[in-house]
Amino acid sequence: MTDSAPGVEQLDVVDEVGRYLRTAPRDEVHERGEWHRVFHCQIVTLRDGVPTAVLQQRSRAKAAFAGLIDISAAGHLAAGEAPLDGVRELEEELGVTPAGTDLVPLGVRRLADDSGEGTLNCELTSVYLLRDDRPLTDYVLARDEVDAVLDAPIADLLALFGGAPSITVKGISSAGHPDASEITLEVTLDDFVPSSEYWVVLMVMAQRFLAGQGPLAV
């Protein structure tokens, strides 16, 4: 759920509980499988009363997980950044500019997996929810990052990750641009960035949040 393409940006290397160790180039951090900090935000809304997750379809030009469906926004925290500084990912990828106080924290998720490029990825991910009721047509996508923005009923997503063969999602390709168009996709698990357990936990928390229930945590 995070692009792990090599780059020149600097990341803070931390230990498994988040204590700062040093600063290093992003590609080196991934090559060495070192712990670093990441930001995730899942946008949720009610569409005609239906609890819905706003997802993105990653650009097919991305180095990692190209063309797959992902959470609303995700990205690495640069060296020196605090978790809420990751809110810039929402503006950069989707044209959404919330206040930090609008984000609902779910805690920190520890993840060690394949980066999508065959290297070890060790992340401490600060996870947030954000309610945003704007229509999909009001998003402005960074076309080098995101191909489309999608509405997915949360109950359908949970059914898919629980074993349903496929679900239907609707969205806007190239939202915010002159060639924007409505799309309808029949999707399976293979169309999502892999991490089924995390998807389930995140969607359950999103469902609880929209229902005014707690506690909320990943």
Side-chain angles (χ1 to χ4, degrees):
M1 295 186 176
T2 304
D3 183 16
S4 299
V8 296
E9 62 215 280
Q10 300 289 308
L11 305 182
D12 286 336
V13 177
V14 298
D15 65 15
E16 65 275 8
V17 295
R19 291 174 295 205
Y20 173 81
L21 299 176
R22 64 189 183 95
T23 297
R26 172 170 162 170
D27 53 350
E28 178 184 318
V29 171
H30 282 283
E31 287 170 5
R32 294 166 60 96
E34 295 178 307
W35 291 97
H36 56 283
R37 294 191 177 278
V38 167
F39 170 89
H40 281 185
C41 184
Q42 177 59 58
I43 296 174
V44 295
T45 186
L46 294 175
R47 303 288 193 209
D48 297 323
V50 177
T52 299
V54 176
L55 306 177
Q56 66 161 269
Q57 184 179 34
R58 295 168 64 86
S59 168
R60 289 170 177 80
K62 297 290 280 184
F65 306 119
L68 295 186
I69 296 171
D70 204 349
I71 64 172
S72 309
H76 289 75
L77 293 175
E81 285 191 318
L84 277 175
D85 291 327
V87 72
R88 61 176 167 73
E89 297 288 345
L90 290 158
E91 182 173 8
E92 292 171 2
E93 297 183 3
L94 304 177
V96 175
T97 311
T101 53
D102 294 334
L103 274 64
V104 177
L106 297 183
V108 177
R109 171 183 179 243
R110 185 180 291 107
L111 170 69
D113 69 354
D114 186 316
S115 68
E117 297 176 24
T119 58
L120 180 62
N121 184 45
C122 295
E123 299 177 355
L124 293 179
T125 304
S126 296
V127 185
Y128 298 89
L129 294 175
L130 171 66
R131 178 157 182 180
D132 192 310
D133 296 326
R134 77 185 70 196
L136 294 184
T137 50
D138 285 359
Y139 286 85
V140 181
L141 305 185
R143 303 180 83 164
D144 58 338
E145 299 273 351
V146 183
D147 280 351
V149 63
L150 307 167
D151 270 347
I154 293 174
D156 290 356
L157 287 169
L158 288 172
L160 180 66
F161 288 100
S166 66
I167 62 171
T168 301
V169 297
K170 296 183 178 182
I172 305 291
S173 175
S174 299
H177 299 277
D179 58 342
S181 61
E182 296 183 359
I183 58 174
T184 299
L185 303 175
E186 188 76 12
V187 297
T188 70
L189 281 182
D190 290 339
D191 294 305
F192 287 74
V193 171
S195 193
S196 292
E197 291 183 3
Y198 179 47
W199 277 108
V200 170
V201 171
L202 189 58
M203 289 305 116
V204 169
M205 293 302 111
Q207 203 171 47
R208 292 175 64 84
F209 169 63
L210 288 170
Q213 300 172 349
L216 302 173
V218 292

